[in-house]
Amino acid sequence: MNSLTNDPDIHAESEGLGDLGDDGFTYELDGDEDVELNVVGNSHEASSKTQVLLLEVGGLEKLRMFTDIFYQKAMADPHNDKFIRSHSDPHGERFATWIAEKFGDRSLPWQENRRNRPNCPVNLGRAGVVDVHDRSTAHYAAWHSPKRETEKWGDHFNLQDCRVWLRLHFWSLRESGLMESSPKFTQYYTKFIAHFVKVYERQAPQFVRDSVRWSEKKENTDAYLARGRTMPDVMVTPAEALRGLPEEERGGSWP
């Protein structure tokens, strides 16, 4: 679990959100402004601009709608569901509060959620008992989920896992209506997710824009459902997957 606990973003989360400056929104976005990803010392930080984006998207209430849709899809997907130990946990609420806080919600909803969360010791068999209380412990538990195949139990997320997750994620964002109603938020959020997914698989950020495009075409989502919610085109080697990307999206420093 060291790769997670040593991650600058996860370390920052354990320390708290920090000072966001004066109350209120002190910045207005230009109509065509592309907000640069706000990363300081390899860790994402909220800013006046991200606060405005959070306001534009509709705040925590709208994020809840999006993350609830996402977890409905994630739990119905046979590949992704293997990582989800329990369907009764409030996954959507936790994810929504995490996003809101990362964008600068001053009520600190994710920290409040963590403070009020009951102890959740999970017996992971040979991996021991882990108290699931944050991103690092939640994903450690996912790697050791009893639903996983024996030969994959304990393995970290790979590129295939991340691509399935990304496609479902942006499909849910699109289905929630937030892509259409909040284009500036969506533009930033795409880069935001690319930044955070790299801690799980270093090549995954290259596939974020591809996942957004996949979610745009109804023929893709219809085919996914018709195949029993499977994505055979994702179940390829990293080298094969990279060949399917536009050349300008391979490698590089984006986002």
Side-chain angles (χ1 to χ4, degrees):
M1 195 160 57
N2 287 341
S3 62
L4 293 181
T5 55
N6 293 333
D7 176 71
D9 287 294
I10 291 178
H11 179 72
E13 288 164 16
S14 69
E15 297 295 320
L17 186 62
D19 183 14
L20 290 175
D22 296 334
D23 287 339
F25 298 104
T26 59
Y27 190 89
E28 291 185 5
L29 299 178
D30 294 334
D32 59 352
E33 180 174 358
D34 181 5
V35 180
E36 184 178 349
L37 190 68
N38 193 44
V39 173
V40 180
N42 294 321
S43 177
H44 180 270
E45 290 190 3
S47 68
S48 292
K49 293 184 181 182
T50 62
Q51 288 176 313
V52 173
L53 293 172
L54 180 62
L55 180 65
E56 179 201 81
V57 82
L60 184 54
E61 180 182 356
K62 293 295 186 180
L63 292 176
R64 286 186 176 116
M65 178 178 65
F66 154 48
T67 56
D68 283 346
I69 292 172
F70 168 64
Y71 270 101
Q72 289 171 17
K73 294 186 185 302
M75 292 174 183
D77 182 275
H79 183 94
N80 194 88
D81 186 55
K82 292 175 183 177
F83 295 104
I84 302 174
R85 180 186 56 85
S86 171
H87 286 194
S88 62
D89 289 342
H91 299 289
E93 175 68 12
R94 291 171 183 170
F95 197 3
T97 59
W98 178 80
I99 298 169
E101 190 163 312
K102 284 295 185 182
F103 272 72
D105 188 322
R106 293 181 179 280
S107 68
L108 307 182
W110 189 67
Q111 290 188 45
E112 183 67 17
N113 182 288
R114 286 182 62 191
R115 277 194 292 270
N116 295 321
R117 186 183 304 183
N119 290 338
C120 185
V122 177
N123 190 333
L124 301 177
R126 299 191 308 276
V129 177
V130 173
D131 181 22
V132 178
H133 63 278
D134 59 7
R135 274 205 299 146
S136 59
T137 52
H139 291 122
Y140 185 78
W143 299 337
H144 298 87
S145 168
K147 296 181 183 179
R148 298 192 73 189
E149 300 89 338
T150 302
E151 66 276 13
K152 294 182 179 179
W153 185 85
D155 288 354
H156 293 200
F157 305 124
N158 61 27
L159 183 58
Q160 296 174 356
D161 304 327
C162 291
R163 292 185 68 194
V164 170
W165 188 95
L166 287 167
R167 285 182 173 187
L168 296 176
H169 194 71
F170 287 108
W171 180 17
S172 301
L173 183 64
R174 189 178 300 280
E175 193 171 282
S176 73
L178 298 185
M179 273 193 177
E180 183 177 358
S181 65
S182 307
K184 292 178 191 173
F185 172 85
T186 300
Q187 190 176 48
Y188 188 91
Y189 188 74
T190 300
K191 294 180 285 190
F192 173 86
I193 288 297
H195 168 77
F196 280 97
V197 77
K198 73 179 185 298
V199 71
Y200 307 117
E201 163 52 54
R202 63 182 179 82
Q203 296 190 83
Q206 299 171 86
F207 292 88
V208 169
R209 289 168 288 186
D210 177 73
S211 299
V212 173
R213 290 191 296 270
W214 179 88
S215 74
E216 187 177 10
K217 297 181 179 179
K218 190 174 184 297
E219 63 197 70
N220 289 335
T221 57
D222 284 349
Y224 163 76
L225 295 173
R227 289 192 299 261
R229 298 181 184 266
T230 60
M231 302 182 189
D233 61 311
V234 165
M235 303 303 155
V236 297
T237 66
E240 290 176 280
L242 284 169
R243 285 196 292 270
L245 289 178
E247 187 173 352
E248 64 272 16
E249 294 182 9
R250 302 176 201 166
S253 58
W254 188 86

